[in-house]
Amino acid sequence: MRKPFVAGNWKMNTDSHSSVELAQAVANSASGLAGDKVNVALIPPFVYLQSVVKAVKSTGVSVGAQDLYFEAKGAFTGEISPAMLKDIGCNYVLCGHSERRHVIGESDELVGKKVTAAIGGGLLPILCVGELLAERDGGQTEAVVARQLKAGLAGLSADKMSAVTIAYEPVWAIGTGRTATPQQAQEVHVFIRRFLAGMFNEKLAAEIRIQYGGSANAGNAKDLMAQADVDGLLVGGASLKAEDFVKIIQAAA
Ligand code: 13P
């Protein structure tokens, strides 16, 4: 049985006060569910990680970072290492979010190095994959997702894969209010599972959790989660309001 996993990616939002307030509000309402029935992670901007870790301590809610760098330390101005994230109590880390791929320009290969480094540093990477609208319209969804999975997981042996969550986030659904239909999500999730069975093995493919992300909200969470291969949600905008995010957690649990 795959335990549902809901994560809130706050992106470049909140401030020192509102980040703590939001984290506390989520932790208060989700206690009793978080950790037990459903894994919950909050993914704030780097600068608020420590205060959010403190705010959710002993509540069953985990904390993740939005990115990391693959080197351990040294002259990499502006970057954050896996050990630094681990050091402050971070458990999860997003790798290859579409905004990093398409706005910042990260390559598939760089994302793969980050996933490997995250696991090496004792973190749990959430590898994000997903196609652009033109790629979907051009019938390339599976090819794009396959390419991103192949490169993103290239450095890993099957025994390391239990640390990994995959997030399918079609780029055309992110922040657009245009959610993939539950069927569209399910189709790609099945493809991802089949691909992982081929790349690694059947057991691993059956056990790995695949989140859906892209305009997930309190209204559509239940229908998305009802799909057999949708194991959780990676939520952007709707994770910035505690009330909405808690409804999503409840729908997943
Ligand atoms: P939205 O939920 O705002 O569409 O963002 C999804 C996302 O990118 C989560 O990582």
Side-chain angles (χ1 to χ4, degrees), residues 9 11 94 97-99 169 173-176 213-216 234-238:
N9 174 11
K11 308 191 181 185
L94 298 180
H97 189 277
S98 79
E99 285 139 25
E169 297 206 302
I174 295 178
T176 58
S215 300
L234 180 54
V235 186

Side-chain angles (χ1 to χ4, degrees), residues 52 56 62 87 155 209 225 228 250:
V52 169
V56 301
S62 299
D87 179 39
R209 292 186 295 187
M225 286 300 300
Q250 286 163 342

Side-chain angles (χ1 to χ4, degrees), residues 112-160:
K113 286 183 183 173
K114 291 185 174 192
V115 172
T116 301
I119 295 179
L123 297 165
L124 304 169
I126 301 172
L127 171 63
C128 304
V129 299
E131 79 287 2
L132 297 162
L133 184 58
E135 291 167 338
R136 171 160 283 259
D137 289 346
Q140 295 173 307
T141 298
E142 293 189 354
V144 169
V145 169
R147 191 196 73 222
Q148 292 173 337
L149 288 172
K150 191 161 178 262
L153 303 171
L156 302 183
S157 54
D159 63 311
K160 295 274 197 293

Side-chain angles (χ1 to χ4, degrees), residues 22-46:
L22 178 56
Q24 281 169 342
V26 170
N28 287 341
S29 316
S31 69
L33 292 176
D36 197 21
K37 292 207 172 65
V38 52
N39 289 126
V40 177
L42 303 180
I43 310 184
F46 282 128

